[in-house]
Amino acid sequence: MSYYDQLHPWVVYRLLPNCQTIAVARFRRRNDAEMYLIAVRQLVRNARWAIAFDPPPMPMSEAERRSPNFLDASAKGKERQRS
């Protein structure tokens, strides 16, 4: 995810057949995305649109970055705790 995408988490999508989507525009505030959606719905009436919040990814801890299979390591740790 680019830095621009992290700063603009609100996304306007055009919904296509077969569960496909196209990201049309990104915004910093939901209100801006809603106003854009009102305008684009008037211009393209036969299309379906949606607004979504696309949060930036959560940072990984240092241990998770070093481990090649950090998901497997965390699952093993949980199994040990149960024993």
Side-chain angles (χ1 to χ4, degrees), residues 23-63:
V24 177
R26 299 186 75 93
F27 299 91
R28 285 185 183 216
R29 292 178 289 279
R30 181 184 173 102
N31 187 37
D32 294 340
E34 289 173 346
M35 298 308 289
Y36 180 86
L37 188 61
I38 290 170
V40 80
R41 279 184 175 160
Q42 291 175 352
L43 293 172
V44 186
R45 293 185 184 267
N46 59 348
R48 293 177 51 207
W49 303 90
I51 296 176
F53 183 76
D54 185 21
M58 294 191 58
M60 296 172 58
S61 70
E62 194 64 35

